[in-house]
């Protein structure tokens, strides 16, 4: 067994950790896609944490680090309980809040290079993981947090 094969098996196993036997193909696809997205962001956040830490911004580094820990806990709960409702809510909430918390910690739009725009990706992503009606509050949250940020 080669390394790429081993990695492929691990990724597949992780991707399907929240899939239940009775899931429809559509729900299975949503669960796998969100799991892979959460795993990717969690893994890539290592670079984010390290960069802020090396730049002498340990408080800013703590924000994506806390996200990583919370995301791993969310994934573990999802693997055990198979509760897609919990998993998609927790991931959408964290992916919406993280950029704003980081922007506020760094001192605003300019100082953070408008990192809060990443939260728009989370809002748009809810269109895939929620119904259209269920996605509306995530867009409202994004707009509200953007307005709040502008008032700072």
């Amino acid at each position: 067994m080669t390394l790429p094969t081993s990695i492929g098996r691990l990724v597949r196993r992780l991707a399907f950790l929240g899939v239940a036997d009775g899931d429809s193909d559509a729900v299975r696809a949503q669960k796998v896609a969100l799991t892979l997205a959460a795993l990717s962001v969690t893994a890539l956040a290592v670079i984010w944490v390290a960069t802020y830490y090396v730049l002498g911004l340990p408080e800013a580094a703590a924000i994506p680090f806390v996200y990583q820990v919370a995301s791993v806990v969310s994934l573990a709960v999802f693997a055990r309980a198979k509760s897609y409702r919990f998993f998609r809510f927790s991931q959408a909430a964290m992916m919406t809040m993280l950029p704003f918390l980081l922007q506020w910690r760094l001192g605003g739009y300019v100082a953070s290079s408008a990192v809060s725009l990443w939260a728009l990706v989370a809002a748009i992503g809810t269109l895939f993981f929620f119904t259209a009606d269920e996605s509306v509050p995530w867009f409202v949250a994004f707009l509200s947090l953007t307005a709040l940020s502008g008032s700072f």
Side-chain angles (χ1 to χ4, degrees):
M1 181 164 54
T2 65
L3 185 59
T5 303
S6 299
I7 293 171
R9 285 186 183 155
L10 175 63
V11 169
R12 181 171 173 74
R13 195 166 154 213
L14 289 172
F16 283 82
L17 63 79
V19 173
D21 290 337
D23 289 339
S24 69
D25 288 343
V27 169
R28 182 178 292 116
Q30 288 179 334
K31 285 181 171 184
V32 168
L34 185 55
T35 301
L36 289 173
L39 288 168
S40 298
V41 173
T42 301
L44 292 172
V46 170
I47 298 167
W48 214 354
V49 171
T51 300
Y52 285 127
Y53 191 78
V54 168
L55 290 173
L57 301 166
E59 296 89 4
I63 294 167
F65 179 74
V66 169
Y67 164 79
Q68 286 178 298
V69 172
S71 190
V72 168
V73 169
S74 175
L75 283 158
V77 169
F78 183 49
R80 185 159 177 82
K82 311 288 190 237
S83 174
Y84 183 51
R85 183 181 200 99
F86 161 78
F87 184 58
R88 70 182 181 169
F89 177 83
S90 65
Q91 289 298 316
M94 289 187 293
M95 289 180 184
T96 299
M97 286 303 301
L98 169 71
F100 284 101
L101 293 172
L102 196 51
Q103 178 174 290
W104 298 339
R105 181 67 206 137
L106 292 172
Y109 286 104
V110 175
S112 70
S113 300
V115 73
S116 66
L117 290 176
W118 280 105
L120 183 57
V121 173
I124 292 169
T126 63
L127 290 169
F128 181 73
F129 302 112
F130 294 82
T131 66
D133 288 343
E134 292 171 329
S135 295
V136 170
W138 296 105
F139 282 94
V140 171
F142 173 78
L143 293 173
S144 299
L145 290 166
T146 299
L148 181 64
S149 295
S151 71
F152 287 155

